[in-house]
Amino acid sequence: MMAFTIAICSNAQNSNKEIIAMRYLSPEIASSSNFKVGSEVKALRVENATDKSLITCPIICKVMQRRKSNIFGQEGYMVLRPLYIETPNKLIPLEHDDIYIRGKNRCNVKFWLSWTVIMVFVPGTGAKIKEEDRFVLTLK
């Protein structure tokens, strides 16, 4: 009985550190965007947090990997690492849990159409953060 109570308390402490992030309004972060691997971008913003002053603050992410989709059907992908929340007064660090985003892979469609005359170039789609995507991040 005692261990069960401790587990609830530790879970409650972690929920105070969790925030929900969503896509930043502008610019759109996609694998086809013109940014370099290793650069820092405002990719997300805080949608919900226990500290209400953090809501709508931008989240700075480091671009760890990025590949554009190509005409041969391979999907685009990105790996973003949330670094910190940018508030007017200070920077609030985040745990480094990477976010993996992928587009649609169309290589299989090309394989099955390869024996027909219709073998056309079916490009893969690029990776981007959609408006309905939500991410759970943890404060340090």
Side-chain angles (χ1 to χ4, degrees):
M1 192 73 158
M2 180 73 82
F4 183 74
T5 308
I6 292 171
I8 290 175
C9 291
S10 95
N11 191 17
Q13 289 174 350
N14 285 340
S15 66
N16 288 339
K17 290 185 164 192
E18 289 181 350
I19 61 167
I20 297 176
M22 64 184 294
R23 176 178 76 134
Y24 195 68
L25 300 175
S26 174
E28 180 182 57
I29 302 300
S31 60
S32 60
S33 300
N34 290 328
F35 53 82
K36 297 183 181 194
V37 173
S39 63
E40 294 182 2
V41 294
K42 291 182 182 180
L44 304 171
R45 65 185 167 104
V46 179
E47 180 186 31
N48 194 358
T50 54
D51 183 3
K52 300 302 179 195
S53 66
L54 296 178
I55 295 177
T56 69
C57 288
I59 298 173
I60 307 300
C61 297
K62 184 174 185 177
V63 180
M64 302 305 291
Q65 294 179 2
R66 177 184 78 98
R67 182 182 74 190
K68 293 181 179 182
S69 61
N70 65 24
I71 198 161
F72 300 112
Q74 291 180 330
E75 80 276 8
Y77 70 86
M78 293 187 300
V79 178
L80 299 174
R81 179 172 293 164
L83 298 176
Y84 48 86
I85 300 171
E86 187 178 61
T87 64
N89 302 331
K90 61 182 176 177
L91 301 175
I92 301 171
L94 295 168
E95 294 288 331
H96 297 304
D97 296 327
D98 291 347
I99 298 172
Y100 296 87
I101 304 164
R102 294 179 55 185
K104 288 186 181 178
N105 188 353
R106 303 284 172 100
C107 288
N108 292 336
V109 172
K110 290 182 61 94
F111 173 76
W112 291 108
L113 292 177
S114 65
W115 60 274
T116 66
V117 179
I118 307 173
M119 175 143 168
V120 294
F121 292 107
V122 181
T125 60
K128 66 179 180 178
I129 301 173
K130 299 178 188 91
E131 192 170 328
E132 62 271 5
D133 289 344
R134 300 293 183 266
F135 305 99
V136 178
L137 304 176
T138 308
L139 300 171
K140 276 192 179 178

